[in-house]
Amino acid sequence: MTMVSLTGGHNLSIPPSPMDYAPPASVKQIHGPLAFHHHRHMWIITGPAGCGKSTVAQYVANELSIPYIEGDDYHSDSNKQKMSQGIPLTDIDRWDWLIALREAAVARLSPSKSSGTKRHDGVVVTCSALKRKYRDVIRIAAYNDHDVMVHFIYLRADADVLLARVTGRKGHYMKSAMVRSQMEALEEPDATEQGRDVLEVDCDASLTQVQQEAVKTVREVLADDL
């Protein structure tokens, strides 16, 4: 039995998933020839506002020919309104969003028969995932299905870099004040998480370099899942 810590000091018990069958191998283009790997992979591109989550995530999805889910699309109107006014989201604001985002990603990996949606062996998702307990909500996908592996690609950058990027945006609801609040709320992945399912990419470099490094990181993981 695995315990995941939630807000308010409560713990969520997650029973182990029974593995009474061998999951089918998936086919993936990694480096030229087709290679087989045995898990379906959920790639969560994380970090505060301004780190380039959407741009990097779209690039990774295109390079791997897998679906891309924009996390901001799953925020409620009230959440978007609060962020546009520079009001930080609370844990309560985020729970339904995180669950909806997780389930949307799972649906792309394991669609129901009635949905008619094609099953994919990977999906790329943008999600700030600022706190460990937020990342734990996403991790439940792997607890529920041992054929699924969750990976967080953490785009790390200094606050000054993020502020400059957000200030230069036009027409986006995320304002510079939100960068400060997100940096205050940020719980950077510790050594335990980085040794488990978090992969760090320095996004102080050029956008092209960050994109290439993110794809390289993903492909290295896939190469180990043969």
Side-chain angles (χ1 to χ4, degrees):
M1 186 75 69
T2 302
M3 303 297 292
V4 175
S5 177
L6 299 178
T7 187
H10 299 294
N11 291 325
L12 175 64
S13 298
I14 303 171
S17 300
M19 292 296 290
D20 55 357
Y21 64 95
S26 301
V27 179
K28 190 64 201 171
Q29 189 86 20
I30 298 179
H31 289 295
L34 286 175
F36 291 85
H37 58 82
H38 298 282
H39 294 87
R40 287 165 290 140
H41 296 264
M42 190 182 296
W43 306 99
I44 314 298
I45 311 300
T46 75
C51 69
K53 292 187 294 293
S54 297
T55 304
V56 172
Q58 290 178 52
Y59 182 83
V60 171
N62 288 336
E63 286 293 303
L64 273 66
S65 299
I66 57 178
Y68 159 71
I69 295 176
E70 172 55 59
D72 285 348
D73 293 343
Y74 289 80
H75 272 300
S76 64
D77 290 340
S78 60
N79 279 2
K80 291 180 180 179
Q81 184 176 10
K82 289 181 73 170
M83 290 187 287
S84 68
Q85 296 173 353
I87 302 173
L89 299 182
T90 65
D91 287 351
I92 294 175
D93 293 327
R94 293 182 183 275
W95 292 136
D96 288 345
W97 169 64
L98 289 164
I99 293 170
L101 194 53
R102 181 191 71 215
E103 295 308 304
V106 168
R108 302 308 294 268
L109 297 176
S110 306
S112 64
K113 293 181 179 179
S114 61
S115 70
T117 304
K118 177 184 175 182
R119 167 183 158 136
H120 295 274
D121 60 356
V123 62
V124 182
V125 184
T126 56
C127 176
S128 54
L130 298 174
K131 299 180 180 181
R132 180 165 186 161
K133 58 187 173 183
Y134 300 163
R135 297 188 284 273
D136 285 343
V137 172
I138 304 296
R139 287 183 173 114
I140 291 175
Y143 291 122
N144 289 340
D145 185 346
H146 290 182
D147 190 27
V148 172
M149 295 184 70
V150 176
H151 314 272
F152 298 91
I153 309 295
Y154 172 47
L155 304 182
R156 189 183 187 285
D158 294 333
D160 291 343
V161 173
L162 301 177
L163 282 169
R165 291 177 180 176
V166 171
T167 302
R169 287 177 176 175
K170 294 182 179 180
H172 196 281
Y173 65 83
M174 188 70 73
K175 307 302 181 184
S176 57
M178 290 304 298
V179 174
R180 297 185 182 91
S181 67
Q182 288 198 357
M183 291 300 291
E184 291 173 359
L186 176 64
E187 296 175 3
E188 288 198 304
D190 59 18
T192 301
E193 286 189 277
Q194 293 197 24
R196 177 185 179 188
D197 55 15
V198 176
L199 305 156
E200 185 174 307
V201 173
D202 183 359
C203 65
D204 283 344
S206 70
L207 176 58
T208 298
Q209 289 174 309
V210 174
Q211 290 173 325
Q212 292 175 347
E213 184 62 26
V215 169
K216 177 185 175 183
T217 299
V218 168
R219 284 179 167 155
E220 287 175 348
V221 172
L222 291 176
D224 287 336
D225 189 35
L226 299 179

